[in-house]
Amino acid sequence: MPTQVSLSTYRQELKVRILQTAMREFKQKGIRDVRMDDIAGILGISKRTLYEIYENKEELLLAGLHEEDLAKHEKLQALSADGKNTVMDILITIYNNDLTEITNTNPLFFAGLCKYPRVMKYLTTRTEEQKKEGMAFIYRGISEGYFLPSLDYEVVLKFIRLSSKTMMDELEFHGYDADYLFKNIAALLLRGFCTQKGIKIIDSLL
């Protein structure tokens, strides 16, 4: 029994290490340029061991995205549950986290996601879930006096999502640093739906 527990613990720890290593490599080099063999080599494990845990690159990428989304969701829930945080406190934290992620991610990573059908299906489902959470966040921002009450926020959220996608996909933007683009586009979008009370906070941030 102790041996079985030890093997199970090792397997779980290895699974976490594989995900962390794979996502780091994917984001640094782009998904296409990272082979399963490369990941096995970095970790010092056999290809057979890697394929026993993750059958292929798409399964590995899907698991990595899911774990990252889960971690982000838990952090956001904790921030929202803390009565000391206003909507703007949470928005600034999201902004800083997203800026850090975009700055440290090769644009080829985002471009490569569309090559994997299961990943795209997951991202579409995730977008629907995020839309519900986003609307709840918007209503809270309106009640706190930071967001304008007169806008159609379903349209606003769609526009924000499509703007972010365009920023990553369009060749016209490829000559700019990702953090530079993000800061400028975020300044435009965030200020657009904030009241004067919210704009003061946004301007102090940007």
Side-chain angles (χ1 to χ4, degrees), residues 33-48:
D33 291 337
V34 179
R35 302 174 304 161
M36 295 289 276
D37 292 8
D38 298 328
I39 297 168
I42 293 169
L43 290 166
I45 61 176
S46 69
K47 290 186 288 184
R48 178 179 177 180

Side-chain angles (χ1 to χ4, degrees), residues 3-57:
T3 302
Q4 289 180 342
V5 171
S6 178
L7 285 173
S8 176
T9 301
Y10 168 76
R11 201 75 164 185
Q12 288 301 316
E13 291 175 350
L14 179 58
K15 193 171 185 179
V16 171
R17 287 172 54 214
I18 290 172
L19 280 184
Q20 292 174 341
T21 300
M23 293 304 288
R24 184 188 69 234
E25 293 296 303
F26 289 154
K27 290 185 176 184
Q28 286 181 356
K29 301 172 183 176
I31 302 165
R32 186 184 65 179
D33 291 337
V34 179
R35 302 174 304 161
M36 295 289 276
D37 292 8
D38 298 328
I39 297 168
I42 293 169
L43 290 166
I45 61 176
S46 69
K47 290 186 288 184
R48 178 179 177 180
T49 298
L50 177 57
Y51 281 107
E52 285 176 351
I53 298 175
Y54 293 103
E55 185 176 341
N56 52 51
K57 189 191 288 189

Side-chain angles (χ1 to χ4, degrees), residues 134-166:
M135 290 304 297
F137 184 77
I138 291 294
Y139 292 139
R140 176 176 169 181
I142 292 172
S143 68
E144 291 181 6
Y146 292 108
F147 299 159
L148 295 169
S150 56
L151 300 178
D152 183 338
Y153 281 98
E154 288 196 10
V155 173
V156 171
L157 292 176
K158 285 180 181 179
F159 184 77
I160 291 174
R161 185 174 70 254
L162 290 174
S163 297
S164 299
K165 185 177 186 300
T166 300

